Amino acid sequence: MAPTQVGTGIGIANLPNQRHKIVAKNGSNFTLMVCGESGLGKTTFINTLFTTTIKTPRTYKRRFNKTEKTVEIEIIRAELEEKQFNVKLSVIDTPGFGDYTNNRDSWMPIIDFIDDQHESYMRQDQQPKRNELSDMRVHCCLYFIRPTGHTLKPLDIEVMKRLGTRVNLIPVIAKADTMTPTDLHKFKKRILEVIAAQNIQCYTFPLDSDDEASTKRNMSIMAAMPFSIIGSTEDVVTADGRTVKGRQYSWGVAEVENEDHCDFKKLRQLLIRTHMLDLIHSTEESHYENYRRTQMETRKIGEPKVKTVTNPKWKEEEEALRKRFTEQVRLEENRFRSWEQQLIAERDRLNKDLEAEHSHIKALEAELEAMQAGLSPKRK
Amino acid sequence: MAHRIRGRKNAKKGFQFTLMVVGASGLGRTTFINTLCDADVVPKRECDEPEMAHVEESIKIKPYTVELDEDGIKISLTIVDTPGFGDMIDNEYCFQEILGYLERQYDDILSEESRIKRDRRFRDNRVHALLYFIAPTGHSLREIDIELMKRLSPRINIIPVIGKADTMTPSELVDFKKRVMEDIEHHNIPIYNFPYDPEEDDEETVEENSELRSLLPFALIGCEEEIEVNGRRIRARQYPWGVVEVDNSEHCDFAKLRFALLSSHLQDLKEITHDYLYENYRTEKLSLSSGEESE
């Protein structure tokens, strides 16, 4: 049924403006996760992206005290305002990921965190009162790839596979100023080949749009994936006198916002200017719905999630505790047994004494009888 | 000066030197080897099928021998590459592989020395120095770096280097080098730090060695291609924002390291390997076996 054109405008066309007013009043809520080995420029990138110090750079004074080999989840909250429009930003960092000799299962805390946010939202949604929902579902995950120039590492592939099915995954090439343009091009091509061959789901968005310019821009953004980035919060002066955000080397200045040097501008456009809402919506509409569907197929409403404790560290502790308790029980049993032996020995000894006394009494009685028998015939 | 006099006598015969290169893939190890020898010694890594990219490759040990000519002095250089180090998800196994290789070379020498009739042309495959490539994270040493250096330092001279040093600006490089040396000191890792004695050695030696010591860990950049800069053909990497020259001491420490390894400190590294590291291994090994016999 084709829509009927309304003759003279009745105001339906004003709906987008009403929507705009509502969104402008409520503000928006955006959660971004950065994932990757330490030293790839994640913190610097976040600060460069939002042109403000969201996360303070690491201090090194306490690095000798750290003994735990764990992957942590760090949440940083900020509220950004531009032209009276508010965004509540949450940045999730994953310090410790990929940093150890043995990184087996190091992705579990990250995957669990993402699932937990979906779970938490689902539970809240099922409550009778659901006006004040706290929503920390991750809208986008930037995975930082080390600029080796070869290919993706097995660890990268394992993690990206698991991330791609749960969250909007955007792979980025970190510290791209390590690579010459030809090397970078080859590296990107190889990464895309591996992503396709390994069935890793990355974020995609509809390319076609209303106007020609947007379509072209969308296509150039998609073509640049994975995005090569350089991060810097410092102002430096280039050879031709411009002051830009960049990195000053002895041989030149690598500029952050120069599209010949890196894809930072394209990524920023994607994340903020053009596709932030799409990232939020696709998280709500496809990733969350996926999660909800798979959970509801096996669980009833209100039932808690079945948690499989497969953490090997806990298993070891469990084993150790079990051993300790078995040992203690064995010791106690031994103690009781030897006590029992002692008591039995004591009883036997006492019984023997008793018998000895008894036979002594019998002997005395017999003597007494004999004496009595001896006396009585004399009296007759 | 003694080693230089000896050098003149050996110049005709030439020197033999074995260098091992260890580091995670993508840190410029292969390129460094080819840049050092100024030739295509190690073939470029063939990236396997994308479908196989998730398969973990364990560490391999690959020696290559090259004949070099340093200012008229012949050097038979053996480079032992270790592709696959640090590439797996669980890397506990890598250390034992490398340690096993180093100890096997010592074992060969030990058994050869104990022979009644020794082979004069026996080839000494002991490794004289190990270049460990640190990733240019800009923070500090990672767990795998510390573990490797700790476990291998009793058997070999370790020289830490920073791979792909053109990732860092000059100030970042200074801070990173400082933190790496602090980490090494904190964990008591005995690396080869160009030892000198201020009282015994002459001023020139003291100055030379303390300068090299201050450059530790060496910032390396490798490049196999030559490009034209200002009319000259030099080895350099061309970026959109500038050109990084490999042989320029202001850009990286490659030239200084090359000179130290192949000229000034070659003999010292060999002597420490033979007189100290090998002797320690020999003592440990023999007291172990004699301990078993006496039981």
Side-chain angles (χ1 to χ4, degrees), chain A residues 98-329:
Chain A
D99 286 343
Y100 305 110
T101 310
N102 182 0
N103 294 309
R104 179 79 49 203
D105 291 333
S106 57
W107 50 82
M108 289 309 291
I110 304 174
I111 302 299
D112 283 344
F113 178 81
I114 297 176
D115 282 344
D116 283 346
Q117 302 319 306
H118 285 311
E119 174 72 21
S120 153
Y121 190 81
M122 196 172 91
R123 308 284 306 281
Q124 287 177 72
D125 207 28
Q126 290 165 359
Q127 300 299 321
K129 209 164 170 251
R130 51 179 192 173
N131 337 20
E132 294 286 327
L133 293 174
S134 96
D135 183 8
M136 272 262 290
R137 292 174 295 182
V138 182
H139 298 123
C140 174
C141 178
L142 294 177
Y143 188 79
F144 282 66
I145 300 170
R146 188 121 72 85
T148 59
H150 295 312
T151 180
L152 286 181
K153 298 195 321 191
L155 179 64
D156 297 332
I157 295 174
E158 285 298 310
V159 185
M160 283 170 78
K161 265 189 188 162
R162 289 174 171 76
L163 286 174
T165 52
R166 292 173 161 84
V167 73
N168 291 321
L169 176 67
I170 299 181
V172 298
I173 299 174
K175 296 196 170 180
D177 49 353
T178 315
M179 303 174 85
T180 57
T182 26
D183 290 338
L184 190 60
H185 183 75
K186 268 192 265 177
F187 189 45
K188 280 190 180 186
K189 196 160 137 268
R190 200 161 304 131
I191 292 181
L192 290 173
E193 281 171 11
V194 174
I195 287 178
Q198 297 283 335
N199 286 325
I200 297 174
Q201 279 173 262
C202 290
Y203 175 63
T204 51
F205 50 87
L207 295 173
D208 287 323
S209 161
D210 301 322
D211 53 295
E212 180 79 38
S214 302
T215 314
K216 246 176 85 180
R217 199 181 48 224
N218 285 347
M219 291 183 78
S220 81
I221 291 181
M222 269 312 272
M225 269 175 86
F227 302 102
S228 61
I229 51 182
I230 302 173
S232 173
T233 46
E234 281 155 26
D235 287 317
V236 293
V237 183
T238 58
D240 45 0
R242 293 171 293 133
T243 306
V244 291
K245 288 255 184 298
R247 292 171 59 72
Q248 178 119 60
Y249 294 105
S250 340
W251 47 85
V253 172
E255 300 167 44
V256 171
E257 305 224 6
N258 186 331
E259 304 224 34
D260 293 325
H261 293 186
C262 71
D263 299 325
F264 175 80
K265 254 183 144 169
K266 293 201 176 80
L267 180 59
R268 184 178 58 191
Q269 190 141 355
L270 174 70
L271 281 181
I272 303 180
R273 193 174 289 264
T274 47
H275 287 83
M276 188 188 260
L277 275 184
D278 185 58
L279 287 166
I280 297 175
H281 278 172
S282 61
T283 307
E284 287 172 8
E285 279 158 31
S286 68
H287 293 291
Y288 171 66
E289 287 302 311
N290 261 347
Y291 180 82
R292 192 170 170 277
R293 192 182 53 243
T294 47
Q295 292 300 313
M296 285 197 157
E297 276 166 4
T298 51
R299 279 158 60 184
K300 287 191 279 216
I301 293 184
E303 232 177 61
K305 182 173 177 181
V306 171
K307 261 192 151 58
T308 47
V309 173
T310 50
N311 193 332
K313 222 195 302 177
W314 290 349
K315 233 195 233 141
E316 270 176 52
E317 283 185 21
E318 213 180 300
E319 271 304 305
L321 274 173
R322 190 176 298 140
K323 267 202 200 107
R324 224 181 45 192
F325 282 132
T326 322
E327 189 63 30
Q328 279 190 350
V329 166

Side-chain angles (χ1 to χ4, degrees), chain A residues 334-344:
Chain A
N334 279 347
R335 205 162 64 86
F336 276 114
R337 202 168 296 136
S338 60
W339 196 15
E340 196 184 338
Q341 302 281 34
Q342 277 183 9
L343 286 176
I344 290 177

Side-chain angles (χ1 to χ4, degrees), chain B residues 145-212:
Chain B
D145 303 331
I146 298 171
E147 275 303 301
L148 179 113
M149 290 200 279
K150 260 193 182 157
R151 294 201 210 190
L152 295 188
S153 50
R155 297 283 175 250
I156 188 170
N157 293 311
I158 297 187
I159 302 176
V161 301
I162 302 172
K164 295 199 172 174
D166 52 353
T167 316
M168 295 196 272
T169 62
S171 53
E172 286 172 355
L173 198 57
V174 166
D175 287 338
F176 184 56
K177 282 188 178 188
K178 194 169 95 166
R179 276 194 289 272
V180 168
M181 294 314 284
E182 277 172 15
D183 279 349
I184 287 176
E185 208 182 288
H186 180 258
H187 287 100
N188 281 326
I189 303 172
I191 58 169
Y192 180 74
N193 60 355
F194 302 95
Y196 58 88
D197 191 338
E199 285 163 35
E200 278 205 19
D201 296 324
D202 56 282
E203 227 182 86
E204 200 190 314
T205 317
V206 171
E207 216 184 285
E208 188 188 7
N209 282 331
S210 56
E211 192 206 339
L212 286 171

Side-chain angles (χ1 to χ4, degrees), chain B:
Chain B
M1 282 300 280
H3 73 264
R4 284 187 229 250
I5 297 170
R6 209 187 305 153
R8 236 173 278 150
K9 191 167 112 186
N10 280 338
K12 270 202 198 145
K13 206 167 64 171
F15 291 94
Q16 193 276 324
F17 190 66
T18 308
L19 178 71
M20 183 182 259
V21 185
V22 179
S25 69
L27 288 181
R29 229 177 43 244
T30 313
T31 312
F32 168 75
I33 295 174
N34 293 340
T35 313
L36 185 73
C37 307
D38 213 358
D40 253 333
V41 176
V42 182
K44 268 263 183 291
R45 173 176 158 176
E46 283 294 314
C47 272
D48 330 284
E49 309 294 305
E51 294 89 43
M52 301 300 286
H54 66 287
V55 172
E56 299 178 61
E57 291 272 323
S58 59
I59 188 174
K60 294 185 195 46
I61 306 212
K62 292 193 173 159
Y64 303 89
T65 307
V66 187
E67 301 293 327
L68 295 179
D69 193 310
E70 287 292 297
D71 287 333
I73 301 178
K74 290 204 219 324
I75 300 181
S76 172
L77 178 66
T78 305
I79 302 188
V80 185
D81 193 11
T82 53
F85 174 80
D87 286 345
M88 299 200 283
I89 297 180
D90 182 355
N91 293 304
E92 293 282 345
Y93 175 65
C94 298
F95 310 125
Q96 199 46 46
E97 273 292 296
I98 302 177
L99 196 60
Y101 178 83
L102 295 175
E103 289 183 349
R104 274 197 296 281
Q105 311 314 313
Y106 283 160
D107 284 336
D108 286 347
I109 298 283
L110 195 58
S111 56
E112 181 62 27
E113 270 183 2
S114 344
R115 276 203 225 289
I116 300 171
K117 193 160 193 278
R118 294 192 216 168
D119 184 359
R120 234 176 344 130
R121 277 171 306 188
F122 182 79
R123 191 171 165 85
D124 181 0
N125 285 324
R126 286 176 297 185
V127 188
H128 303 118
L130 186 147
L131 290 182
Y132 182 67
F133 277 68
I134 300 172
T137 59
H139 292 314
S140 57
L141 284 184
R142 296 179 305 155
E143 193 201 354
I144 195 174
D145 303 331
I146 298 171
E147 275 303 301
L148 179 113
M149 290 200 279
K150 260 193 182 157
R151 294 201 210 190
L152 295 188
S153 50
R155 297 283 175 250
I156 188 170
N157 293 311
I158 297 187
I159 302 176
V161 301
I162 302 172
K164 295 199 172 174
D166 52 353
T167 316
M168 295 196 272
T169 62
S171 53
E172 286 172 355
L173 198 57
V174 166
D175 287 338
F176 184 56
K177 282 188 178 188
K178 194 169 95 166
R179 276 194 289 272
V180 168
M181 294 314 284
E182 277 172 15
D183 279 349
I184 287 176
E185 208 182 288
H186 180 258
H187 287 100
N188 281 326
I189 303 172
I191 58 169
Y192 180 74
N193 60 355
F194 302 95
Y196 58 88
D197 191 338
E199 285 163 35
E200 278 205 19
D201 296 324
D202 56 282
E203 227 182 86
E204 200 190 314
T205 317
V206 171
E207 216 184 285
E208 188 188 7
N209 282 331
S210 56
E211 192 206 339
L212 286 171
R213 189 184 286 187
S214 70
L215 286 176
L216 276 171
F218 293 94
L220 296 185
I221 301 172
C223 178
E224 301 163 76
E225 287 123 28
E226 284 184 356
I227 58 173
E228 190 142 326
V229 175
N230 294 336
R232 300 175 298 140
R233 285 197 71 81
I234 53 168
R235 296 190 293 193
R237 289 173 63 79
Q238 176 123 58
Y239 290 110
W241 49 86
V243 178
V244 185
E245 298 167 34
V246 170
D247 296 298
N248 184 335
S249 288
E250 282 174 36
H251 290 182
C252 71
D253 303 326
F254 174 79
K256 294 228 165 81
L257 176 66
R258 185 176 198 282
F259 187 74
L261 278 181
L262 299 180
S263 300
S264 53
H265 288 79
L266 186 145
Q267 205 53 34
D268 194 31
L269 287 164
K270 286 183 77 165
E271 276 170 18
I272 294 183
T273 308
H274 181 71
D275 296 336
Y276 180 65
L277 296 167
Y278 170 64
E279 283 304 311
N280 279 347
Y281 178 74
R282 191 173 173 281
T283 313
E284 281 175 34
K285 188 98 193 274
L286 291 178
S287 44
L288 201 67
S289 50
S290 69
E292 283 168 9
E293 275 168 29
S294 60
E295 270 176 35

Side-chain angles (χ1 to χ4, degrees), chain A residues 341-353:
Chain A
Q341 302 281 34
Q342 277 183 9
L343 286 176
I344 290 177
E346 188 72 20
R347 187 193 61 183
D348 285 343
R349 194 176 61 83
L350 289 172
N351 272 353
K352 239 197 217 122
D353 284 351

